[in-house]
Amino acid sequence: MLKKTILFCLPLAIPFSLYAKEYHATTYNVIQSFYKLQVMDEYNQPVVNAMLEVEGYSLVFFTDENGMVELPKTLQGKNFYVSLDGYITIHGIVGFNTDLVLLEDNINQLDEIVVVGYGDSKRKNLTSSIGKVKTKNISPRNVSSANQLLQGQVAGVNLTTANGTPGSRSRVSIRGISSINGDNEPLYVIDGIPISKSNASYNYSGEFVQDPLSLINPSDIESMDVLKDAAATAIYGSRGANGVIIINTKQGKKGKLKFSFSQLTGLSTMPKKMNLLSSDQYINLQNEAVNNYNQDFGYIPGKPGYIDINKVLGKVPENYTDIGWQDLIIRNAATTTQTDFSVSGGNEKVKTYNSIGYAYQEGLINKSSLKRYSLRSNVNYKPNDKFDLGFNIAGNFTQSSSIPNGDQGTALFQRSLEQRPYDSPYLANGDYSVGGKDILRHNALIILDKDHTDDKNYQSLINLYGAYHFLNGFTFKTSYNSELRIGHGARRQEIGHPYNGGLGWINDSRNTRYSQAFDNVLSYEKTLFDVFNVNAMIGHSYFSDKYTFNTVTGREFPANDFKHINAATIVTGSSSMSEYAIESYFGRLNLGFDDKYLVSATIRRDGSSKFNKDYRYDYFPSVSAGWIFSSEKFMNNVNFINFGKLRASWGKTGNQDGIGNYDYFALAQGGYNYNGTTGLSITSIGNKNLKWEVNTQSDIGIDLSFLSNRLNFTYDFFIKESKDLLYNVPILQTSGFSNMTQNIGKLRNVGHEFTISSINISNPNFTWTTNLNLSLIKNEVKSLLGDGVVTIGNWNAIIEGQPLGVFYGYEHQGIYQTVDQIPTNLYNQGVRPGDIIYADINGDGQINSSDRTVIGNSQPDFFGGFTNTFKYKNFDMSIFATFSVGNDIVSNWRTGLDHLGGTDYNNIASSYNDRWTGPGTSNWVPRATKGSWNTKNSSYYIEDGSYLRLKNLTVGYTLPEALLQKIGFENIRVFATVNNLFTITNYSGYDPEAASGTNAASFGIDNLVTPQPRSFLLGITIN
């Protein structure tokens, strides 16, 4: 039903009013024999050098520095057109109305500049697949990590926000999964600086892993270019296998100093709460389960195996009430605020952008939060026509606090919801109730009171560059790019915490990561004979990364007043250092003829210290071509197509993220005791034959623009294959080790990408635009270890012919309704009417591990997003939604909350109400029993994770210009925004995007992690 709902909604995102009447706003004043017309952009800024053509006349007019142009009064009633590169061509009628002309960015973006890696290109000249996102086109969503701005914006990019803890890591994959051991995350490059993918948190608390992109301020970002196919990413060689996301920060522009201030403030709430059993229902369920179990096996009081209901129920208060455990740990209204201030401007020689930002976001669970301070200064200096000099420098600080949740033993959501509904967190004397003694599970209030985490990050990003232009077309550019990150993680568990014997525990970790890249690029660009365009580039890059880590742990403290490790009875510590380097040579050649025929080729040679010298270097080439068929003569009479281009590409990239820095060595470690003498021990077996993972990708695409560029369509088909996958292969344990990293196996991704953008309505008072993207990607393991099944944890498996990380378990085929249906051997094991029928896969009459099979897949059939933007006079509204269809979720939390008496924990109300109570009452939900038959890892716990989510709804109002001029402001806009207003899904958990990890081989398991909050925000921007 949900899949049909989403499929029904998608056409609504596609324009249906493309032929709307177009009388664009104009202002006229009769001055002698002329009309004066002023052309303004969407920010109320004058548009300079816009060309105005009057239909039927050869005269052409241009706007001056104030955006003004004079039209002879004799032209009254004539049609005119205003055009400028990068903007929509606007139609008007001389003397028609009295409003201002508003030029919007051209939606087909043919002339926009796209960053392609060590260079840039006009979009219409691209032969590769690159998506671009401009932050000004995204409504403010108060994201804590910059990469979350990409969700639902670019076809082929699947971004999943795994949990709602502020700053938590997102899972980003571009065109499917390419690696088993690797993280499958794209390479992020900010102003030329490659950003480390390493986590920005140092205390693992079950679900929170801080995203490194949460360190930077999203408000400083101008645009993001997503390099998807190998023709685009091969220039990054061994680091481009998973795609590349180039983040461009805001730069100064020529003009007067511009001061900008923005403030966003609001509250976040829990989008959903679990409906659990009341005390009466719980007591009834446990009685039913105990009675069924004792009767099944003939157990009577005093005999072995008999279950006493009084022990199950614990101490039931005489006048019991239901304790709202969820409400005890959830913030009723988590606050959030973001403040940004910037100054930008420049002249012919110097352009500058400077900003300062502050953000604070509380999590839905008490004590979780993220705080960020950011500074940025971007300066470009052009002393003359020969030189360009500049820098992009940023300093960021974050402080985060997280709580145990997800897959930790003290996970707050699971342990709280599993409590008996009448169990109180406090004893009669006011002390905390202790889990396993006074109440059933760990007391969440003890954890909140006595478990403290604190992660700090200090980050600097430095990009220094200089460019020299010479010999009419040559440019030499040199740049230094570095990231310095200093991290400090501290976690303290006070005396009385259920872990570490309740005697107190502190861990303090410090680390430093310093990476740097030196790039030197020589480029040449020239147009020959007015028809032949040449763009060539060669370059060299050296990258190094060094990481140091120190940790100290203290145990057993005299009192909670002692908060430093030197007061501990037992102190242990360790330290480590790791580094690697990459040296690269690369080149690119772009050729274009007659603005119709395009050819591009790149090559890169990478050498990495992670590999033995025999396999250290490899080449990564690509070729691509494009044909702008709309420029051919045979298209002259095809008026409804404004632009058409066919593209094709092939390329090879590499991946080294799946191995450690020294995995080809056999490693030894000191500190081992041999008869009282310190010695070494071999800790890992090396493999000198390790080499790169290799990805090859082929792509065919088409770009089309229709109806005066009002409707734009892009389609891509790709085949992406990965071979020589790095994987820990089991080996004979006589070697002293259980596995060895080897190159083995193949993965394949085949996909289709669709992007549609349109201007549905455009008239003086009202505009409506739509953007839709849709992706279908099929992943398959082509080979690994033969026909066998490689299990990953309790739920996932790698199987040839299946998508990576499929769910593997028992197949639920219904419910036994009568005794006659139950095989004798299973009846003797305690199976009774009301129990689950599991598929006997091998047909041997037994149900055991040999009967496990594929029962689900976390990868969607298709996914995407759509945005509708409306403007009516000074009002604006944006509606942004994302969707995913066909992906499954393991609701692992239900093994503890949907057991129907299988444990003593509480139970969700839905399965209690739907449980089997007699023949014909249920063929899916089993009966209540203390037996374990119905709690196997089966498809009973697999749910459809499809969803349609209204991600953002924003309504804004821009104050009238006449009022602003009186008070001395250029632009003031106030707005209200709601995030995650609603989600249409059949998933029973908190959040259909939830996942307890981001590893591709074990993705899709929900341990009841914190959901994404529903946020209500008010904001203002002032220029």
Side-chain angles (χ1 to χ4, degrees), residues 48-66:
V48 182
N49 289 327
M51 182 173 68
L52 190 148
E53 299 174 277
V54 180
E55 193 172 73
Y57 289 79
S58 59
L59 289 175
V60 176
F61 303 89
F62 291 91
T63 58
D64 61 20
E65 62 182 7
N66 297 313

Side-chain angles (χ1 to χ4, degrees), residues 265-269 332-336 362 977 1013-1018:
T265 303
L267 301 174
S268 299
T269 62
N332 292 325
T335 61
T336 182
E362 292 181 333
T977 185
R1014 179 175 295 133
S1015 303
F1016 302 88
L1017 307 165
L1018 295 175

Side-chain angles (χ1 to χ4, degrees), residues 76-265:
Q76 181 173 356
K78 302 295 183 181
N79 293 315
F80 68 84
Y81 297 89
V82 181
S83 61
L84 184 67
D85 280 352
Y87 292 88
I88 301 167
T89 297
I90 291 180
H91 163 245
I93 297 178
V94 178
F96 179 73
N97 52 25
T98 59
D99 292 328
L100 290 174
V101 171
L102 181 67
L103 292 177
E104 296 177 331
D105 283 351
N106 192 339
I107 199 164
N108 83 345
Q109 300 174 335
L110 294 177
D111 293 311
E112 76 175 357
I113 300 300
V114 177
V115 179
V116 295
Y118 304 103
D120 52 44
S121 171
K122 285 188 176 182
R123 177 167 293 280
K124 68 180 180 182
N125 295 329
L126 288 178
T127 55
S128 55
S129 182
I130 299 177
K132 190 178 189 73
V133 175
K134 296 180 179 180
T135 56
K136 70 178 181 180
N137 296 331
I138 302 175
S139 294
R141 302 211 304 263
N142 193 37
V143 297
S144 55
S145 295
N147 51 5
Q148 294 175 9
L149 294 172
L150 289 170
Q151 187 172 28
Q153 300 291 333
V154 179
V157 178
N158 191 3
L159 188 148
T160 303
T161 306
N163 69 76
T165 304
S168 190
R169 186 152 200 160
S170 301
R171 176 179 181 254
V172 183
S173 63
I174 297 178
R175 292 192 165 183
I177 299 167
S178 304
S179 180
I180 298 176
N181 272 15
D183 59 11
N184 287 283
E185 290 286 312
L187 170 67
Y188 293 95
V189 181
I190 302 177
D191 294 332
I193 308 166
I195 301 300
S196 171
K197 300 180 185 180
S198 64
N199 298 330
S201 56
Y202 316 103
N203 294 294
Y204 181 65
S205 55
E207 71 175 20
F208 179 69
V209 177
Q210 188 174 343
D211 199 307
L213 270 295
S214 68
L215 302 180
I216 68 171
N217 185 0
S219 299
D220 284 334
I221 296 175
E222 179 79 22
S223 64
M224 290 183 278
D225 295 280
V226 182
L227 282 55
K228 297 189 288 185
D229 67 348
T233 62
I235 197 69
Y236 287 98
S238 63
R239 310 187 74 186
N242 300 323
V244 181
I245 296 177
I246 300 176
I247 298 176
N248 312 293
T249 61
K250 296 175 180 177
Q251 303 293 319
K253 296 178 175 61
K254 180 183 175 182
K256 293 186 294 184
L257 281 180
K258 179 179 179 180
F259 296 85
S260 298
F261 170 81
S262 66
Q263 177 67 47
L264 189 65
T265 303

Side-chain angles (χ1 to χ4, degrees), residues 295-297 816 818-833 835 845 927 933:
Q295 290 174 12
D296 291 344
F297 293 96
Y816 290 112
T818 64
V819 174
D820 296 340
Q821 294 178 297
I822 305 173
T824 302
N825 64 311
L826 298 184
Y827 185 88
N828 293 336
Q829 296 176 34
V831 178
R832 297 292 185 272
D835 287 338
R927 64 177 179 143
W933 177 266

Side-chain angles (χ1 to χ4, degrees), residues 611-889:
F611 300 98
N612 184 32
K613 61 181 180 179
D614 295 333
Y615 300 99
R616 184 162 293 168
Y617 294 91
D618 204 350
Y619 290 91
F620 303 99
S622 77
V623 291
S624 58
W627 174 36
I628 303 178
F629 60 85
S630 57
S631 296
E632 298 288 356
K633 291 183 179 179
F634 62 78
M635 294 292 292
N636 288 345
N637 295 323
V638 184
N639 297 323
F640 68 94
I641 296 181
N642 303 107
F643 179 82
K645 178 174 64 177
L646 288 172
R647 295 176 281 104
S649 68
W650 174 90
K652 170 186 170 184
T653 54
N655 191 2
Q656 57 177 328
D657 288 341
I659 64 170
N661 292 347
Y662 311 108
D663 276 7
Y664 77 89
F665 286 112
L667 301 178
Q669 182 172 322
Y672 288 85
N673 189 293
Y674 295 90
N675 259 348
T677 302
T678 299
L680 295 173
S681 176
I682 303 298
T683 56
S684 65
I685 188 171
N687 181 1
K688 292 185 177 181
N689 296 319
L690 285 179
K691 53 186 179 181
W692 309 87
E693 289 185 349
V694 175
N695 288 2
T696 58
Q697 185 176 171
S698 302
D699 182 283
I700 297 175
I702 185 169
D703 304 313
L704 295 171
S705 294
F706 305 94
L707 308 174
S708 299
N709 293 330
R710 296 178 63 130
L711 176 62
N712 299 273
F713 172 78
T714 297
Y715 167 75
D716 280 273
F717 169 75
F718 67 87
I719 300 175
K720 183 179 180 181
E721 295 186 318
S722 306
K723 66 177 184 178
D724 294 332
L725 299 178
L726 294 161
Y727 186 70
N728 294 323
V729 178
I731 59 176
L732 293 175
Q733 295 195 13
T734 52
S735 65
F737 299 91
S738 59
N739 57 66
M740 172 194 290
T741 303
Q742 298 180 18
N743 292 97
I744 186 171
K746 295 180 181 179
L747 284 173
R748 190 183 198 199
N749 294 279
V750 178
H752 305 267
E753 298 172 354
F754 303 86
T755 301
I756 298 174
S757 59
S758 65
I759 306 172
N760 308 326
I761 298 175
S762 182
N763 61 46
N765 293 324
F766 182 66
T767 61
W768 170 27
T769 63
T770 296
N771 291 279
L772 166 69
N773 66 83
L774 175 71
S775 304
L776 303 88
I777 301 175
K778 182 180 180 181
N779 171 265
E780 182 183 354
V781 178
K782 301 298 291 185
S783 67
L784 189 63
L785 298 175
D787 296 331
V789 175
V790 179
T791 57
I792 309 292
N794 295 324
W795 283 103
N796 300 89
I798 303 176
I799 305 172
E800 290 186 11
Q802 295 286 342
L804 180 67
V806 290
F807 302 138
Y808 191 68
Y810 298 93
E811 182 182 340
H812 183 306
Q813 291 191 320
I815 300 294
Y816 290 112
Q817 302 295 327
T818 64
V819 174
D820 296 340
Q821 294 178 297
I822 305 173
T824 302
N825 64 311
L826 298 184
Y827 185 88
N828 293 336
Q829 296 176 34
V831 178
R832 297 292 185 272
D835 287 338
I836 294 174
I837 302 172
Y838 295 114
D840 184 8
I841 299 298
N842 61 8
D844 64 356
Q846 302 291 328
I847 300 298
N848 52 38
S849 60
S850 299
D851 295 305
R852 291 179 298 169
T853 187
V854 175
I855 56 175
N857 174 25
S858 66
Q859 300 179 38
D861 296 333
F862 62 88
F863 61 90
F866 58 89
T867 304
N868 282 282
T869 303
F870 307 87
K871 291 184 179 180
Y872 175 71
K873 294 186 177 179
N874 286 35
F875 291 92
D876 61 85
M877 182 172 71
S878 174
I879 302 172
F880 169 57
T882 60
F883 56 88
S884 179
V885 175
N887 54 296
D888 297 315
I889 297 177

Side-chain angles (χ1 to χ4, degrees), residues 23 230 355 394 487 541 548 635 659 745 758 831 952 966 973:
Y23 290 119
S355 72
S541 178
T548 59
M635 294 292 292
I659 64 170
S758 65
V831 178
N952 178 264
K966 291 179 181 179
R973 176 175 176 264

